[in-house]
Amino acid sequence: MRRWISILLALIVVVALGAAAFFFWPAGLEDVSEARARTPAGQASITRGEYLAKAADCAACHTLAGGKPYAGGLPFKLPFGTIYATNITPDKETGIGNWSDAEFVRALHHGVGRDGEDLYPAFPYASYALMSTEDALAIKDYLFSLEPVRAETPANDLAFPYNQRYVMRAWKLLFVPGEPFAPDAQRPPEWNRGFYLVEALGHCGECHTPRNLLYGLDNGKKFAGAVTAGWKAYNISSDKEVGIGGWSDDAVASYLSQGFAHGHGAASGSMAEAVEYSLRHLSPDDIRAMVTYLRSVAPQNTGDEPPINPEPPAVKASTAFTPPPDETNANAVGLGIFQSACASCHGWNGEGLQHPHAALVGSQSVNDPAGTNLLQVLIHGTHMKTNEGDVFMPPFGAAYTDVELAAVANYVIGHFGGKQSILTPADVAAARQLD
């Protein structure tokens, strides 16, 4: 009996030590010397790292509006609290200036900070884990070439138990790949490049794939669309009704590189940021590779969103300067606001009078009865830098009441999307709180 008790106690001690090691000891540092030898620090690596940092969309998350690039401070408001993006300039006190190569790679591959703290997946290391060590080092070389910026990162404000970082260890076991992407020899090089750009660097799934109860990506619904921070990232699977399966290759490429595709509208919100900070800087070959990979993603149609209507009756009956006669008595408030504040840019036929990006025909935002992105654009406006210049729509949140904005949103969805929408002033008020 004593022998069995001793064995049981020994097992308990081993399990306890294993649990302690798992929850309280950080992931070890990789030996990156061979990768560094293949990626020697210098101007060539810096230039390459700049391109990769743009492909990885680093600036969009690590730059606060009106602040210095990469100096952090941008808040991520999540259901369980607020996380702030860190300073990734080479400042030695508040940035990453003291980080070694191995520490930087560990952060991208394992989500562990310099001091061994587990990082939260608002930093998309679940995607960056697929990045090659050579590319991670090139990004580090680029960031270390920037001007150091002293900027303290605000403390995260998270509820228990989410403020216990060690909990992330178990999450990582479930959702973080164990090794970088290895090209599939059965696939053409363009597909492999596209996979790497979409899944590893561009981390598109972080916004476009729904999350499960553990806040991990639900890849059973890969690219089926999801709402993040008040904006809807639309379905980009190959489904022909609610995804991009019915788009031409040129249309997908145009939307990625310019934030606009004829017959499909313009990007706004987080997608506009992705175009501004990342996608517009990619080479045409890389954009085409992304299109190739996206075409291979299985169609996803959850049945909870209607298909895009490219030719709604009201639009077909309109001219650029006049609505159909039978609309004048329907939703008079919404129609009146659109006439006074919107028609001069968008046109009654939705083709856009001032700029191609003002076109509404085929836009996913005006085909969404929930009005998720439409309300955000009406309240907060939208802005995007493109390679052809800046495009923007001013905010109308301060100029109109919740009742008026609900009315014009319902009118726009009915006129340009051909769909019944019953947005209420309470919906507008809730959207205002998402700023």
Side-chain angles (χ1 to χ4, degrees), residues 90-98 150 152:
D91 182 71
K92 292 184 179 295
E93 294 183 2
T94 64
I96 60 172
N98 288 317
R150 179 174 177 77
E152 295 281 356

Side-chain angles (χ1 to χ4, degrees), residues 61 64 73-85 122 156-158 211 215 227-231 270 376 380 430-435:
C61 289
L64 187 63
L74 185 71
F76 292 86
K77 298 179 180 179
L78 305 172
F80 40 82
T82 302
I83 294 172
Y84 293 88
N156 295 329
D157 182 15
L158 298 172
R211 293 186 180 272
Y215 210 67
V227 176
T228 303
W231 290 90
S270 301
Q376 291 295 325
H380 305 297
R432 290 185 189 272
Q433 299 304 312
L434 295 172
D435 184 14

Side-chain angles (χ1 to χ4, degrees), residues 321-341:
F321 304 101
T322 59
D326 60 355
E327 260 193 354
T328 55
N329 294 322
N331 192 353
V333 174
L335 182 146
I337 294 172
F338 185 86
Q339 181 176 31
S340 63

Side-chain angles (χ1 to χ4, degrees), residues 47-58 139 193-204 252-259 271 273-291 294 385-388:
T47 301
R48 177 183 169 205
E50 180 179 10
Y51 184 85
L52 293 168
K54 289 175 179 176
D57 204 15
C58 302
I139 291 175
R193 179 61 176 171
F195 180 102
Y196 189 67
L197 288 162
V198 170
E199 299 285 2
L201 291 172
H203 56 278
C204 303
V252 179
S254 175
Y255 201 88
L256 291 173
S257 59
Q258 301 177 44
M271 187 62 194
E273 289 183 353
V275 172
E276 175 174 339
Y277 288 104
S278 177
L279 295 168
R280 71 186 178 102
H281 300 284
L282 301 189
S283 70
D285 286 346
D286 275 350
I287 291 293
R288 289 291 176 181
M290 294 179 72
V291 175
L294 289 171
K385 289 183 182 295
T386 74
N387 292 337
E388 290 73 40

Side-chain angles (χ1 to χ4, degrees), residues 255 258-261 264-268 356-360 363-365 384 391:
Y255 201 88
Q258 301 177 44
F260 168 78
H264 302 287
S268 58
H357 283 68
L360 297 176
S363 165
Q364 291 169 306
S365 294
M384 175 170 53
V391 291

